[in-house]
Amino acid sequence: MPHPAIALPRLIAHRGLSAHAPENTLAAVRATREAGCAWVELDVQLLGDGTPVIWHDATVKRCSDGRARLADLDLPAARRLDVGSWFADRFRGERMATLREMLGLIEALGLGLNLELKVNRGRSAAALVEGVLPTLLDALPAERVIVSSFNADALARARELAPADRLALGVLFEGITRDWRERCEAVAAFSVHADWKRLSRRSALAVHEAGYPLLCYTANDPAAFAHQWAWGVASVISDDPARFAGHLPTAG
């Protein structure tokens, strides 16, 4: 079964334009569009009441004025948090985005989305997928979405709910493992996502030659990354994609 006709850009903004705005917020996604980036990478997980929100950590301590676990918050409590002023005072009053709000903004801005299913310890992969996928599939066209995860159960459940021609799945790795191809085939994956600092030429070329787009995270040093383009990397996920201006391959 074919995958959606996804035209990947060379650069994807990591958690929004997170070098210039608080990560995983509506402000960071608006900044992505203003910077001329066509795709954004974001994280999704569930609040304690089951609401899907755009958030990375298991707690809110690092990126808000609160200290709770995400699993202990309902939506009204989450909405009371200031998730912007930790980054800069001009973002004071920024609120945690629900998945539905974020998808509305992404659709309005015409962006593509790499959405990571973030299954933190003690949370249900199936509940996350079932809480996210119907809303996601209704909101954006298939050619503008990749759903990725480190969690094999989350990817398997996502594939059960949506066929390959409706939903592109990306298998996330730190270092690409020996069984990478089996893991991709098990969920009819579209793409492979890997930590650029742990990527070997051999692994990258194997992924490329097998026909999987290879997306590398989180590269912010274009000079250090430069040699990896020749390994068949399709896209770089970066906190500050503008740094790569003048450092992209000319073709391929």
Side-chain angles (χ1 to χ4, degrees):
M1 185 176 291
H3 291 102
I6 294 173
L8 281 171
R10 284 296 193 181
L11 301 171
I12 297 172
H14 181 241
R15 304 181 193 170
L17 200 70
S18 56
H20 300 281
E23 65 178 59
N24 277 318
T25 62
L26 298 172
V29 172
R30 293 188 189 100
T32 296
R33 185 66 182 86
E34 291 164 5
C37 246
W39 275 62
V40 62
E41 184 268 352
L42 300 169
D43 304 287
V44 66
Q45 54 182 309
L46 301 181
L47 294 173
D49 65 2
T51 304
V53 291
I54 305 303
W55 201 256
H56 178 274
D57 295 0
T59 76
V60 299
K61 181 179 179 181
R62 181 173 63 88
C63 296
S64 84
D65 59 351
R67 300 180 65 85
R69 294 191 314 150
L70 207 69
D72 293 334
L73 296 174
D74 59 14
L75 185 57
R79 287 293 210 190
R80 288 193 288 270
L81 298 172
D82 179 336
V83 303
S85 59
W86 69 271
F87 186 89
D89 192 63
R90 69 181 182 277
F91 295 107
R92 186 173 301 278
E94 186 76 20
R95 299 303 169 191
M96 188 182 295
T98 65
L99 174 66
R100 192 175 298 277
E101 287 172 328
M102 185 61 80
L103 292 175
L105 177 61
I106 287 170
E107 174 61 16
L109 297 177
L111 298 174
L113 172 64
N114 173 190
L115 185 65
E116 180 181 345
L117 299 167
K118 199 74 183 175
V119 185
N120 282 310
R121 182 175 297 178
R123 308 304 302 275
S124 166
L128 175 59
V129 174
E130 292 159 14
V132 166
L133 238 59
T135 302
L136 175 64
L137 295 175
D138 284 346
L140 297 177
E143 63 271 16
R144 283 172 36 210
V145 177
I146 299 172
V147 167
S148 63
S149 189
F150 288 100
N151 188 284
D153 292 338
L155 292 172
R157 184 63 181 136
R159 181 53 74 226
E160 288 174 357
L161 294 179
D165 64 348
R166 181 62 186 90
L167 179 65
L169 294 180
V171 183
L172 265 162
F173 298 90
E174 292 178 348
I176 294 176
T177 56
R178 291 184 178 181
D179 65 346
W180 72 267
R181 189 158 189 165
E182 290 82 0
R183 290 175 63 181
C184 289
E185 290 173 350
V187 295
F190 167 75
S191 54
V192 172
H193 304 223
D195 184 343
W196 78 279
K197 292 182 178 179
R198 300 182 65 174
L199 186 65
S200 70
R201 180 179 183 275
R202 180 177 181 178
S203 294
L205 290 175
V207 170
H208 179 64
E209 289 166 5
Y212 293 94
L214 176 58
L215 287 70
C216 288
Y217 67 89
T218 305
N220 295 316
D221 184 339
F225 185 83
H227 65 284
Q228 293 191 15
W229 290 115
W231 299 352
V233 173
S235 302
V236 159
I237 299 171
S238 176
D239 296 326
D240 195 359
R243 294 181 183 177
F244 283 81
H247 296 274
L248 296 176
T250 55

